[in-house]
Amino acid sequence: MTYRPKPDMRNDSAGSEAANRSWWDSDAEAYHEEHAAFLGVDTADGDFVWCPEGVRESEAGLLGDIGPGTVALEIGCGSAPCSRWLAAQGASVVGLDISAGMLRRGLPHVRHGIPLLVQAGAENLPVADGTVDVVCSAFGAIPFVADPARVMAEAARVLRPGGRLVFSINHPMRWIFLDDPGPDGLVATLSYFDRSPYVETDADGTPTYVEHHRTVGDRVRDVVSAGLRLVDIVEPEWPEDFEEQWGQWSPLRGAIFPGTAIFCCEKPR
Ligand SMILES: C[S@@+](CC[C@H](N)C(=O)[O-])C[C@H]1O[C@@H](n2cnc3c(N)ncnc32)[C@H](O)[C@@H]1O
């Protein structure tokens, strides 16, 4: 059974976490069958792909200089190809995810405990204050939590002054369209201003998947309220001749409006 929207889960952090933990546990295999090659999950050093438009950290450099001495934390790392890529650059990396199923998929590629993978929720980071140079997230956690302002505050807390937070999410304007890569996905059906989450349930009505929507303004306010400085919002354009489709991300839609927003933030010195 599927329905949207569901206003009563708007502030339900524990319920969202429980639903998404079980969703990603059970979806880990199917997710990787479809996307592992694109994400570089099974390559020796991983890969850091920010979004279905194929933006790679190796070319975009959104995180700044990464190398020996850099301490990085990835939120919602899944099977951790991005964490492994950061580790291959010499960084000390912790990858964090709510789903043991997603983390387990990455374990065969972890050598000598590097990167360190931790099962935890993004709203309560098990990391000491001011110890991290870079917090990053590629479509991990932030669209799935009920309290994204708390994630921003947590990221700000663990960052050292001058450190960076960079995260990619569905572009908020996509919320108004059906998740359809074809022509039906070009028709606005939902209010951009309705922050009620999208919830899927099982036959008993128990939530099995929860995705939360915030407007661009909400996201900016969350960042600024956490004491971070917003440096850029990257809206990747669909690359010419790029035919790879990822769920609702398609060349048809990508030619008309953005699918991804990458927020680049800094903690003031
Ligand atoms: C779309 S996947 C992205 C995974 C990985 N970043 C990648 O690029 O393949 C979203 C990930 O966010 C994780 N996630 C969802 N809610 C979370 C939460 N509250 N805290 C931490 N991770 C969460 C999921 O378990 C899943 O691994």
Side-chain angles (χ1 to χ4, degrees), residues 16-17 20-21 24-25 31-32 39 41 49 74-82 96-99 102 120-123 137-142 144-145 246:
S16 302
E17 223 177 69
N20 288 325
R21 183 188 300 115
W24 288 103
D25 279 350
Y31 179 83
H32 283 89
L39 294 170
V41 170
V49 185
E74 185 187 2
I75 299 176
C77 66
S79 56
C82 301
L96 171 150
D97 201 282
I98 195 73
S99 160
M102 289 293 278
E123 285 157 280
S137 185
F139 279 82
I142 290 156
F144 303 106
V145 298
W246 174 310

Side-chain angles (χ1 to χ4, degrees), residues 227-248:
L228 297 169
R229 199 166 68 83
L230 183 63
V231 178
D232 198 2
I233 303 175
V234 178
E235 298 167 295
E237 293 192 30
W238 196 265
E240 219 175 306
D241 303 327
F242 185 63
E243 291 300 322
E244 187 107 21
Q245 188 170 304
W246 174 310
Q248 48 120 332

Side-chain angles (χ1 to χ4, degrees), residues 175-176 189-195 213:
W175 190 256
I176 67 178
T189 57
L190 281 184
S191 165
Y192 176 75
F193 302 106
D194 186 352
R195 277 80 158 184
H213 167 61

